[in-house]
Amino acid sequence: MAIQNVLILGENTVGRAIGDMMSQAGLSCEVANRAALADQDLAPVDLVIDALPEPTAEKTLSLEQIGRRLPERTILATLATSFGLTGLASSSRRPDRFVGLHFQPPAPDTRLIQIVRGLDTSETTIAACRELVASLGRTAIVVKDSPGLVYQRVTAAVMNEAIYVLWYGLASREEIDSMMKYGANFPMGPLEMADSLGLDVLLDTLEELCRVIGPEHRPCPLLRQMVSAGHLGKKTGKGFYDYS
Amino acid sequence: MTVERISVIGAGLMGHGIAQVCAQAGYQVVMRDLSEELVNKGLERIRKFLSDGVHKGKVSQADADSTLGRILATTSLEEAARDTDLIIEAIVEDMEQKKQLFRELDRLCAPHVIFASNTSYLSITEMAAVTGRPDRFIGMHWFNPPQLMRLIEIPRGQDTSEETVATIVELAKRLGKVPAVCSDSPGFIVNRLLQPFYNEAMSLLEEGVASAQDIDTALKAGGGFRMGPLELRDFVGLDTALRGTEVIYNALRHDKFKPRQCLIRLVKAGHYGRKTGRGFYTYGQE
Ligand SMILES: NC(=O)c1ccc[n+]([C@@H]2O[C@H](COP(=O)([O-])OP(=O)(O)OC[C@H]3O[C@@H](n4cnc5c(N)ncnc54)[C@H](O)[C@@H]3O)[C@@H](O)[C@H]2O)c1
């Protein structure tokens, strides 16, 4: 099935950025909020992308409602990044046509799209998503529903260890970053990376990894401290570096 | 102290490159290995690197000639120990052999001479302790290939003096490199931080979250990494990779550093990556 007609649920920055990406690629795309959905004709829609913010009680309800009204063939995708896609899939009542799509920030300049397979997602659904990503001119990878997916999990582990190294006083922040840039060809030092991601986001990712995967992901106490202090990185003007 | 003359011990993969960088920056260099054949092989590699540079227009013929002119190749340790300010040790990664070498050098070298080891994983402090100059003993960890990689990681031993640190930092800058000082701890910083990079990729593979290719693609397309973690391991050699991981794990004993089963299995099977044609990937008949 070729995806032509896309409905994005959630009139927010991310929803709109993804909408732009779709329109630029020549797909017919609409961005709507939940209230407007009631009057929407869903018959032509091939793919619904849920861009509603988490947490999930409300989201689950919406997905359940919309799942009931969608045509048989329609794929329901969610942007959710955290582990739990399979749970959402079952409440949508179309677990085989339910999938996760993770657009690597910053959308709409995303290069990588991770297609997330829930426990019951069908091959047909995955194939349709691959085709969609190709038509968007982006790179697709297919991953199982798992905390942090691939990119976030690998980089979070490195950032966490970099914070431990700083906490133990083994090297200064500038030295840690320049070591990884000039000794390991990293595109950015791990502490700069953490500051741009947001230290709260990093902490959440690590906590989930720690809970679901194992204690090797235990967040460094220094990271917790910085989040408690409200130093969340670039967005607050202060993280491992000062941005004021 | 200012370094003027440098002796590089070991003319292998790292040693020849280090000698070349030092000579290109204008230092008088003595390069020592165990036999004529090994020293000449090192010199030949330098010659080749420089003449490739001349062909590509990156180095002038005159610079290439004068660089070679500043390198004295020898098999004599006495010659390397005489008239020098700094020893850069780049022999095999073996604590006993390195200690043996430093004991001899300590006897042969003038008191002001600084000893620097290019070890990747061994303790600077432990090596320094067999010499009478632990204050003038330091790590100078280069990356492969030394001619191109900009970082020099500088682990300081327990008793390394501030003056020694300052001297080596200054030297690294003059060599056109980026110095970064750290403590003497297992794997220092770069190799330690790379362990979770590789290990998480391998865990993802073992858990069946994604294929090797998709894992590498995620890092490259997702964040601008030049190579993915799994292709990097294949490139370096899985036997070497496992040995490094084991050293860090044995020292730090934390699960995040523990060698992953998929790596151990590949090494047991003799699949060492690129050099054997198989590793995380299969390589065509080359
Ligand atoms: N290969 C890398 O990517 C890399 C990177 C950073 C650091 N290192 C470290 O650099 C050191 C050298 O590694 P390499 O890859 O160049 O190894 P290599 O095997 O290519 O070279 C080692 C050389 O040292 C010589 N040698 C041994 N004992 C000697 C002695 N007593 N005096 C003089 N020469 C002697 C050997 O004959 C050999 O030519 C090791 O400590 C290694 O851990 C390697």
Side-chain angles (χ1 to χ4, degrees):
Chain A
M1 181 190 86
I3 294 169
Q4 298 287 349
N5 199 312
V6 183
L7 173 68
I8 296 173
L9 202 52
E11 274 194 294
N12 48 45
T13 324
V14 183
R16 270 185 228 108
I18 293 167
D20 288 346
M21 196 190 295
M22 304 275 167
S23 309
Q24 276 160 23
L27 298 173
S28 140
C29 180
E30 196 172 333
V31 183
N33 62 27
R34 212 144 36 96
L37 204 61
D39 329 308
Q40 196 98 23
D41 175 18
L42 296 178
V45 177
D46 302 315
L47 169 70
V48 175
I49 299 179
D50 142 52
L52 295 171
E54 306 187 48
T56 41
E58 226 183 300
K59 195 183 179 94
T60 309
L61 191 68
S62 319
L63 293 183
E64 200 180 312
Q65 284 165 353
I66 193 170
R68 225 177 286 142
R69 288 183 48 217
L70 283 176
E72 250 334 277
R73 65 170 205 293
T74 306
I75 294 173
L76 184 50
T78 178
L79 296 185
T81 50
S82 56
F83 182 57
L85 180 78
T86 303
L88 287 176
S90 85
S91 54
S92 77
R93 291 160 198 247
R94 52 180 66 226
D96 56 323
R97 283 145 298 154
F98 196 94
V99 72
L101 288 177
H102 182 268
F103 295 77
Q104 188 71 17
D109 300 325
T110 301
R111 282 183 57 206
L112 176 73
I113 300 177
Q114 302 182 73
I115 301 171
V116 191
R117 187 200 287 277
L119 198 57
D120 299 313
T121 308
S122 73
E123 286 309 322
T124 326
T125 301
I126 298 289
C129 290
R130 272 192 189 280
E131 226 180 284
L132 169 75
V133 174
S135 71
L136 294 174
R138 267 53 179 199
T139 304
I141 65 164
V142 177
V143 307
K144 281 204 306 205
D145 180 19
S146 176
L149 308 179
V150 174
Y151 181 81
Q152 292 81 347
R153 174 158 163 192
V154 173
T155 53
V158 178
M159 290 185 260
N160 194 29
E161 192 55 25
I163 301 170
Y164 271 110
V165 161
L166 182 69
W167 190 53
Y168 292 136
L170 302 180
S172 71
R173 59 184 186 187
E174 289 86 359
E175 274 158 328
I176 293 169
D177 280 344
S178 82
M179 281 170 178
M180 298 316 279
K181 281 189 286 192
Y182 303 114
N185 291 325
F186 271 36
M188 210 194 251
L191 299 173
E192 301 172 83
M193 212 183 272
D195 274 356
S196 350
L197 176 68
L199 302 190
D200 50 342
V201 177
L202 177 61
L203 182 59
D204 287 347
T205 305
L206 289 168
E207 303 231 55
E208 185 173 53
L209 279 165
C210 191
R211 190 165 49 78
V212 182
I213 301 294
E216 66 268 30
H217 294 285
R218 189 165 56 91
C220 177
L222 175 59
L223 176 62
R224 280 186 199 288
Q225 231 175 2
M226 296 196 51
V227 172
S228 321
H231 303 323
L232 306 183
K234 270 198 178 146
K235 61 187 171 192
T236 62
K238 193 169 156 65
F240 293 106
Y241 295 90
D242 216 315
Y243 300 90
S244 51
Chain B
M1 189 189 108
T2 329
V3 172
E4 275 159 21
R5 297 152 305 175
I6 299 172
S7 295
V8 180
I9 313 295
L13 182 66
M14 296 303 290
H16 88 274
I18 295 170
Q20 182 189 327
V21 172
C22 295
Q24 264 182 307
Y27 291 92
Q28 286 299 326
V29 178
V30 178
M31 180 172 78
R32 191 252 180 172
D33 208 308
L34 296 175
S35 68
E36 288 290 340
E37 196 194 334
L38 289 165
V39 187
N40 286 333
K41 203 172 140 202
L43 269 183
E44 204 36 59
R45 281 167 135 170
I46 297 176
R47 235 176 250 128
K48 169 108 185 13
F49 196 103
L50 288 171
S51 73
D52 286 353
V54 171
H55 285 306
K56 288 183 203 148
K58 287 183 180 164
V59 188
S60 72
Q61 186 63 52
D63 283 349
D65 291 342
S66 64
T67 297
L68 280 166
R70 278 190 290 272
I71 302 174
L72 172 70
T74 181
T75 57
S76 151
L77 191 63
E78 285 75 10
E79 194 163 15
R82 204 184 304 138
D83 299 332
T84 190
D85 301 314
L86 170 68
I87 299 283
I88 302 179
E89 171 274 312
I91 71 166
V92 286
E93 185 77 343
D94 178 278
M95 183 56 99
E96 282 321 307
Q97 292 191 47
K98 289 196 199 268
K99 279 184 179 170
Q100 187 49 40
L101 173 70
F102 281 120
R103 273 193 208 99
E104 281 177 56
L105 284 169
D106 198 32
R107 222 169 11 85
L108 296 170
C109 291
H112 79 280
V113 179
I114 293 178
F115 291 178
S117 173
N118 182 47
T119 181
S120 304
Y121 296 102
L122 302 173
S123 164
I124 298 300
T125 306
E126 189 176 339
M127 281 182 245
V130 304
T131 72
R133 60 183 87 205
D135 55 324
R136 274 150 295 149
F137 200 111
I138 194 163
M140 203 173 176
H141 184 212
W142 298 59
F143 290 79
N144 186 31
Q147 295 95 331
L148 303 180
M149 294 296 287
R150 291 187 58 201
L151 181 72
I152 299 180
E153 198 171 38
I154 304 177
R156 54 161 99 218
Q158 185 70 35
D159 298 319
T160 308
S161 72
E162 286 308 323
E163 198 195 337
T164 300
V165 173
T167 303
I168 297 302
V169 165
E170 183 54 35
L171 170 69
K173 288 183 187 157
R174 290 207 188 161
L175 295 173
K177 300 295 180 186
V178 179
V181 180
C182 61
S183 298
D184 179 24
S185 71
F188 311 130
I189 309 297
V190 174
N191 283 325
R192 177 191 181 128
L193 293 190
L194 281 172
Q195 291 313 310
F197 186 68
Y198 300 132
N199 266 352
E200 281 315 305
M202 291 179 207
S203 292
L204 285 163
L205 192 64
E206 287 179 353
E207 292 165 21
V209 173
S211 68
Q213 187 151 13
D214 276 0
I215 291 168
D216 283 341
T217 299
L219 275 299
K220 289 186 286 184
F225 287 85
R226 253 186 254 169
M227 279 175 94
L230 300 174
E231 47 183 344
L232 263 171
R233 295 276 77 176
D234 269 1
F235 188 78
V236 163
L238 300 187
D239 49 341
T240 311
L242 179 58
R243 239 177 287 125
T245 304
E246 278 170 345
V247 174
I248 295 183
Y249 176 63
N250 289 337
L252 296 171
R253 285 279 151 195
H254 195 293
D255 277 355
K256 57 191 163 189
F257 302 113
K258 193 172 183 165
R260 298 303 193 245
Q261 288 302 321
C262 60
L263 175 64
I264 295 172
R265 242 185 350 256
L266 283 167
V267 171
K268 278 188 181 152
H271 301 321
Y272 296 163
R274 249 169 212 269
K275 61 186 170 191
T276 63
R278 258 181 88 178
F280 290 108
Y281 294 88
T282 303
Y283 300 88
Q285 258 61 27
E286 279 164 297

